[in-house]
């Protein structure tokens, strides 16, 4: 029994190619991470972001998480949306370097570094979009949690496709420019209602009859991305 997307490789290495083993992907508490409007209003008020378009990233501050590229993308977003804010949640060895970069770019009033938090499940409700261009990831809990909260997600294609469960979670290659990422990001419809959904399969989010975000299986993600790019 192996946890995360690397389980197939680990299983073959540990038990042999033809061995009988099962890979169990990471699971999360659906109720805990579901969108909550009261928490959204409360947290946005506390952070002073009531009237802003808020991007977020949750990750340790380390090279593999690609925060430099996140800042570049956000800087491009600001050129089109001057009310945008970026919320970075996490701590790590690059904190000082990231702070310096933010100051060099002159966006210190638009970026909030919240450090390590134990209320991530509530902070997700306060965001409008989740940005996650990691250089490498396993089976990412952060992306799962963001999708559970009903957030549109733009993530790198280096992240395993298995983690893409919602039609509003799209992958882009890291060899595209920050400007290109920003263009795709800004084409998302972030005004759709974020309401609880039912998870009936491990490979998709199924929406109840009242209609919510994320009602298509992951096989349609590429089609959705193509539509966004064609609209440029």
């Amino acid at each position: 029994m192996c946890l995360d997307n690397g389980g197939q490789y680990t299983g073959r290495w540990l038990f042999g190619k033809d061995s009988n083993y099962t890979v169990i992907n990471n699971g999360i508490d659906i109720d805990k991470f579901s969108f909550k409007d009261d928490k959204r209003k409360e947290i946005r008020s506390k952070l002073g972001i009531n009237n802003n378009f808020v991007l977020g990233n949750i990750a340790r501050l380390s090279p593999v998480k690609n925060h430099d590229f996140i800042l570049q993308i956000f800087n491009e977003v600001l050129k089109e949306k001057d009310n945008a804010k970026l919320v970075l949640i996490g701590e790590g060895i690059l904190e000082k370097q990231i702070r310096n970069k933010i100051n060099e770019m002159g966006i210190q009033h638009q970026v909030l570094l919240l450090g390590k938090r134990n209320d991530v499940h509530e902070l997700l409700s306060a965001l409008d979009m989740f940005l996650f261009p990691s250089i490498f990831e396993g089976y990412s809990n952060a992306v799962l949690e963001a999708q559970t909260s009903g957030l549109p997600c733009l993530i790198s294609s280096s992240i395993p496709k298995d983690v893409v469960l919602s039609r509003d979670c799209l992958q882009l290659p890291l060899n595209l420019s920050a400007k290109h990422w920003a263009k795709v990001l800004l084409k998302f419809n972030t005004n759709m209602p974020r309401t609880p959904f039912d998870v009936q399969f491990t490979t998709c989010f199924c929406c109840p009859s009242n209609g919510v975000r994320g009602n298509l299986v992951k096989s349609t993600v590429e089609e959705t991305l193509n539509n966004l790019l064609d609209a440029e």
Side-chain angles (χ1 to χ4, degrees):
M1 192 164 58
C2 304
L3 303 179
D4 79 33
N5 188 71
Q8 295 288 357
Y9 303 100
T10 306
R12 287 197 294 268
W13 179 74
L14 284 173
F15 311 117
K17 182 178 179 180
D18 300 319
S19 298
N20 184 19
Y21 61 89
T22 300
V23 176
I24 300 177
N25 289 325
N26 296 337
I28 59 173
D29 186 333
I30 298 296
D31 291 334
K32 180 178 180 180
F33 286 92
S34 291
F35 174 75
K36 297 175 179 62
D37 188 57
D38 58 336
K39 287 298 178 182
R40 176 180 174 83
K41 292 175 180 175
E42 176 186 331
I43 292 171
R44 286 175 74 96
S45 179
K46 285 182 179 179
L47 296 179
I49 53 175
N50 281 323
N51 301 312
N52 297 98
F53 172 63
V54 185
L55 305 177
N57 175 274
I58 302 171
R60 69 182 185 277
L61 308 183
S62 65
V64 73
K65 302 301 182 179
N66 215 4
H67 285 85
D68 187 69
F69 192 50
I70 291 173
L71 295 176
Q72 293 177 44
I73 296 168
F74 178 64
N75 201 39
E76 293 294 333
V77 170
L78 279 173
K79 295 175 183 178
E80 303 296 328
K81 274 187 174 286
D82 58 8
N83 72 328
K85 295 281 188 181
L86 174 63
V87 173
L88 299 178
I89 302 167
E91 61 182 6
I93 59 173
L94 293 186
E95 181 175 346
K96 183 177 180 180
Q97 180 177 322
I98 291 169
R99 288 187 182 276
N100 289 340
K101 182 70 173 180
I102 290 169
N103 291 331
E104 288 173 12
M105 297 174 72
I107 56 175
Q108 60 270 27
H109 299 302
Q110 285 78 37
V111 182
L112 288 75
L113 285 90
L114 302 187
K116 185 177 181 179
R117 301 285 294 245
N118 59 11
D119 59 346
V120 166
H121 57 292
E122 296 177 348
L123 288 167
L124 285 168
S125 290
L127 305 178
D128 295 310
M129 183 134 191
F130 192 71
L131 181 59
F132 206 73
S134 294
I135 296 171
F136 175 79
E137 288 285 339
Y139 195 78
S140 173
N141 272 6
V143 176
L144 286 178
E145 292 162 1
Q147 289 176 94
T148 302
S149 186
L151 276 171
C153 301
L154 189 58
I155 69 176
S156 68
S157 57
S158 62
I159 298 171
K161 290 184 179 180
D162 296 40
V163 80
V164 178
L165 305 180
S166 162
R167 75 169 185 181
D168 294 307
C169 182
L170 301 183
Q171 293 184 286
L172 285 181
L174 290 173
N175 60 0
L176 294 179
S177 67
K179 185 175 182 179
H180 195 124
W181 274 68
K183 282 184 177 180
V184 174
L185 185 155
L186 290 168
K187 291 183 184 297
F188 274 86
N189 180 3
T190 57
N191 295 318
M192 292 177 64
R194 286 166 62 186
T195 54
F197 53 80
D198 295 327
V199 179
Q200 297 180 10
F201 303 101
T202 58
T203 56
C204 70
F205 286 162
C206 297
C207 91
S209 57
N210 62 347
V212 296
R213 188 191 306 276
N215 62 343
L216 298 182
V217 297
K218 62 182 179 180
S219 62
T220 66
V221 169
E222 291 183 4
E223 178 184 346
T224 306
L225 175 56
N226 289 335
N227 290 337
L228 285 171
L229 295 177
D230 289 343
E232 288 190 7

